[in-house]
Amino acid sequence: MARAEGAPAFTMNQLAAFVAVAEAGTISAAAEKLHASPSALSAAVTELERALQTQLLRRRKAKGVSLTPTGEAVLARARALLHQADELQADARGEERGVSGLVRLGCYPSLAPTVLPALISDFTRTHPDARLEVHENTQDQLSKGLDSGELDLAIVYDIDLDPTWRSAALAELTPRVVLPADHRLAEVPGPLDLTDLRDDPMVLLDAPPSSAHAFACCARAGFSPHVVYRARTYETARAFVGRGLGWTLLLQRPSASVTYEGRPVVVKDVARPPLPHVPVAVVWPPDSLLSRASRAFINHAVRMAADGSLGLPRKS
């Protein structure tokens, strides 16, 4: 039978053989795992390379195989295609089986301590056959992971995201100032005027998009902050503030008003200038074919956010 127009020149079996060999590191180990002959697996990978007109593996006698740069790129896509094929088969058979499979979830580091423990615990308890693989990273790196297919979903601040991406809103956070306990403004009642900090040393949470967001808030108040220290995590930023090294501007508000060292910090709202709320969302690229497990995770996260179980302010 002639190949239909638009159909690929390779087969799913060839993709499965390639993924198995790439993950096992040797053809013989992959063959043992799949209960297939090494010669059949080797032939399947060779046919895949011929169909794609490129080399995917470097075969080294007695040393196994290694991926070429093209092979590295193809591996992620091959895994995704195989997973989607499995989902298609499951959906075609109906909804009798429960939610299962892997969800590769990215999360912005300052959101992770608040959102992930309860979400992972509740989701895996509800869907025991599903698995979550969590990757904490800056928002630009999470975006790359979503674009490349290495991540299925990400929980991020909705700041400077690709406007074509799809999303499910979880909460809205308000920027707050964090001060050392002995700062001159710490005991001032009520919200602060951000301009009162224009000459004070600042500790910047230097993890995109938080850094750009902090600069934008200060620019809204008409000044450029005097940054003396940069921190990669919000707990480090709070610890620096607790030591009196400067003030900082954070979206995430931890439950405790002390640092890991036990030093107190004071969290103050900002009255002037008005700072916009920043949405927190689960996001994914528009062309993603989400698995059943990913769809279930999104629904679960939205439901927990709505009932306040995630430790985030409910979306207004």
Side-chain angles (χ1 to χ4, degrees):
M1 178 179 174
R3 181 160 56 91
E5 183 178 353
F10 55 84
T11 68
M12 300 305 291
N13 284 337
Q14 291 166 357
L15 285 181
F18 165 63
V19 171
V21 172
E23 292 179 342
T26 67
I27 292 175
S28 58
E32 183 176 350
K33 181 179 179 180
L34 295 181
H35 305 292
S37 70
S39 59
L41 274 190
S42 180
V45 174
T46 300
E47 287 299 317
L48 177 62
E49 292 176 318
R50 185 176 294 123
L52 297 178
Q53 299 180 8
T54 188
Q55 183 182 6
L56 302 176
L57 297 174
R58 297 188 188 94
R59 297 156 175 84
R60 301 168 297 175
K61 211 173 238 188
K63 292 185 178 180
V65 301
S66 63
L67 290 165
T68 65
T70 302
E72 292 275 5
V74 170
L75 179 60
R77 301 291 296 274
R79 285 173 174 151
L81 283 172
L82 290 170
H83 184 65
Q84 290 165 11
D86 182 64
E87 288 291 321
L88 173 63
Q89 183 171 275
D91 287 343
R93 290 173 176 171
E95 297 292 328
E96 289 83 5
R97 76 172 195 176
V99 173
S100 62
L102 175 66
V103 179
R104 299 164 301 172
L105 175 68
C107 190
Y108 188 72
S110 68
L111 289 169
T114 301
V115 175
L116 291 185
L119 183 51
I120 291 174
S121 176
D122 202 75
F123 178 76
T124 54
R125 183 170 58 250
T126 304
H127 304 291
D129 293 327
R131 293 186 300 118
L132 289 172
E133 181 181 281
V134 177
H135 303 263
E136 290 185 59
N137 218 323
T138 57
Q139 199 144 304
D140 54 346
Q141 292 302 312
L142 294 176
S143 296
K144 291 178 182 177
L146 290 170
D147 283 333
S148 68
E150 295 174 3
L151 295 176
D152 301 309
L153 306 168
I155 298 176
V156 294
Y157 294 121
D158 191 356
I159 302 174
D160 297 330
L161 294 179
D162 186 329
T164 67
W165 281 10
R166 302 178 66 188
S167 65
L170 301 180
E172 290 181 340
L173 301 182
T174 304
R176 291 183 171 91
V177 167
V178 184
L179 300 171
D182 60 356
H183 192 277
R184 70 182 191 284
L185 299 177
E187 298 300 324
V188 174
L192 299 181
D193 187 328
L194 195 59
T195 57
D196 290 340
L197 293 164
R198 66 186 311 146
D199 297 322
D200 289 51
M202 181 190 190
V203 176
L204 179 69
L205 177 56
D206 195 12
S210 289
S211 47
H213 176 257
F215 280 120
C217 289
C218 292
R220 197 179 181 100
F223 70 95
S224 179
H226 175 44
V227 176
V228 291
Y229 292 102
R230 295 171 182 263
R232 293 293 289 175
T233 70
Y234 86 104
E235 283 295 356
T236 303
R238 287 193 339 118
F240 283 8
V241 172
R243 280 282 180 172
L245 300 177
W247 65 278
T248 193
L249 189 69
L250 299 177
L251 282 168
Q252 197 62 22
R253 184 174 186 173
S255 57
S257 58
V258 295
T259 68
Y260 280 134
E261 294 183 305
R263 295 177 180 272
V265 293
V266 176
V267 180
K268 305 285 284 185
D269 291 323
V270 177
R272 291 182 302 275
L275 300 180
H277 298 301
V278 176
V280 177
V282 185
V283 301
W284 62 98
D287 56 352
S288 293
L289 297 176
L290 294 180
S291 67
R292 180 182 304 176
S294 292
R295 297 195 300 269
F297 179 86
I298 294 168
N299 292 334
H300 201 92
V302 170
R303 186 164 55 251
M304 289 188 68
D307 65 22
S309 303
L310 291 186
L312 295 171
R314 299 189 190 189
K315 185 178 178 298
S316 57

